[in-house]
């Protein structure tokens, strides 16, 4: 009887021991898998800020008018090229720009008639703030304008010096390209004209609204 009783007990003990070892091995493997698990990398690299520093060149087109309203009579088409250089320190920018424009038949009123502006060159300083790819700036400088006689008057010979004030906003894109919209107020003092009524001097003012493209290199 003792032999018959001990056999099932021995088999039962072996079964329990085997089950315990199996459970322990499974638990160890699961723990190892958990230890070796690496969470996915969710880190985000912020794109580099747009760089406005350096040289650039471009072209522009717009309207020159003796009145702030760009659709007033006497307006002419303005088109030309520009080149400049910017220095950026943090969000601030200072720069310089040279610009040349053809003004078409923009007419300005003078005593006894109208005078036509044909060409203009400008040397401008620029300063403003950037908001990554957006540059908001003011500009000021000297101008040289070429006049020609118009309706009822003859114009001055050579080029006349003037002054420029303005503001603009420029948006940067990829590949060094940017687009801008700019307003300039230009005044040219003591412009001499001749008519049947004699000689006169006039301070000439006009407004230029233009859009342009620049390429940085």
């Amino acid at each position: 009887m003792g032999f018959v009783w001990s056999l099932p007990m021995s088999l039962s003990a072996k079964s329990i021991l085997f089950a315990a070892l199996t459970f322990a091995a499974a638990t160890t493997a699961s723990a190892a898998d958990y230890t070796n698990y690496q969470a996915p990398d969710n880190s985000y690299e912020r794109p580099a800020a747009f760089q406005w520093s350096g040289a650039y060149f471009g072209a522009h087109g717009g309207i020159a008018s003796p009145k702030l309203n760009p659709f007033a009579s006497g307006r002419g088409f303005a088109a030309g090229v520009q080149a400049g250089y910017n220095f950026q320190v943090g969000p601030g920018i200072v720069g310089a720009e040279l610009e040349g424009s053809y003004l078409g038949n923009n007419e300005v009123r003078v005593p006894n008639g109208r005078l036509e502006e044909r060409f203009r060159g400008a040397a401008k300083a620029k300063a403003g703030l950037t908001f990554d790819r957006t540059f908001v700036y003011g500009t000021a400088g000297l101008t040289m304008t070429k006049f020609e006689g118009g309706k009822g008057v003859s114009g001055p010979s050579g080029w006349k010096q003037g002054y420029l004030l303005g503001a603009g906003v420029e948006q940067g894109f990829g590949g060094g390209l940017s687009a801008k919209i700019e307003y300039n107020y230009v005044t040219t003092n003591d412009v001499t004209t001749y008519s049947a009524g004699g000689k006169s001097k006039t301070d000439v003012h006009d407004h230029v609204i233009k859009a342009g493209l620049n390429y940085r290199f």
Side-chain angles (χ1 to χ4, degrees), residues 65-122:
S65 172
K67 298 181 180 180
L68 184 57
N69 178 4
F71 302 105
S73 61
R75 68 185 181 276
F77 179 72
V81 295
Q82 68 272 351
Y85 198 97
N86 289 329
F87 298 90
Q88 182 171 359
V89 180
I93 287 182
V94 294
E97 182 176 284
L98 296 176
E99 177 184 272
S101 301
Y102 170 69
L103 300 177
N105 60 344
N106 180 41
E107 294 182 340
V108 292
R109 187 179 294 278
V110 294
N112 301 315
R114 292 177 180 269
L115 191 64
E116 291 186 354
E117 296 175 316
R118 286 296 185 180
F119 302 95
R120 175 173 293 136

Side-chain angles (χ1 to χ4, degrees), residues 60-71 78 97 99 101 106 120 122 124-127 135-141 143 163-170 179-187 204-212:
H60 62 267
I63 293 175
S65 172
K67 298 181 180 180
L68 184 57
N69 178 4
F71 302 105
E97 182 176 284
E99 177 184 272
S101 301
N106 180 41
R120 175 173 293 136
K124 304 187 294 182
K126 299 169 64 178
F135 176 31
V136 180
Y137 63 91
T139 183
T143 62
Y163 305 93
L164 174 152
L165 290 174
V169 59
E170 190 166 356
K180 70 173 183 177
I181 297 177
E182 184 176 311
Y183 163 77
N184 294 154
Y185 173 74
V186 182
T187 180
V204 173
H205 312 280
D206 62 344
H207 307 267
V208 184
I209 301 174
K210 56 196 170 185

Side-chain angles (χ1 to χ4, degrees), residues 1-167:
M1 292 293 293
F3 176 77
V4 174
W5 176 256
S6 63
L7 180 59
M9 287 295 293
S10 177
L11 291 175
S12 177
K14 289 181 179 180
S15 298
I16 293 172
L17 179 61
F18 178 76
L21 292 174
T22 302
F23 178 77
T27 303
T28 302
S30 177
D33 290 341
Y34 182 80
T35 302
N36 294 331
Y37 172 77
Q38 295 182 352
D41 185 7
N42 292 325
S43 61
Y44 171 73
E45 293 185 4
R46 187 176 181 178
F50 187 82
Q51 292 297 315
W52 291 93
S53 294
Y56 64 89
F57 68 91
H60 62 267
I63 293 175
S65 172
K67 298 181 180 180
L68 184 57
N69 178 4
F71 302 105
S73 61
R75 68 185 181 276
F77 179 72
V81 295
Q82 68 272 351
Y85 198 97
N86 289 329
F87 298 90
Q88 182 171 359
V89 180
I93 287 182
V94 294
E97 182 176 284
L98 296 176
E99 177 184 272
S101 301
Y102 170 69
L103 300 177
N105 60 344
N106 180 41
E107 294 182 340
V108 292
R109 187 179 294 278
V110 294
N112 301 315
R114 292 177 180 269
L115 191 64
E116 291 186 354
E117 296 175 316
R118 286 296 185 180
F119 302 95
R120 175 173 293 136
K124 304 187 294 182
K126 299 169 64 178
L129 293 174
T130 63
F131 304 89
D132 192 13
R133 292 178 177 265
T134 303
F135 176 31
V136 180
Y137 63 91
T139 183
L142 298 176
T143 62
M144 294 294 292
T145 303
K146 175 67 174 177
F147 294 92
E148 289 187 6
K151 298 177 181 178
V153 297
S154 59
S157 60
W159 296 72
K160 291 291 293 182
Q161 179 180 313
Y163 305 93
L164 174 152
L165 290 174

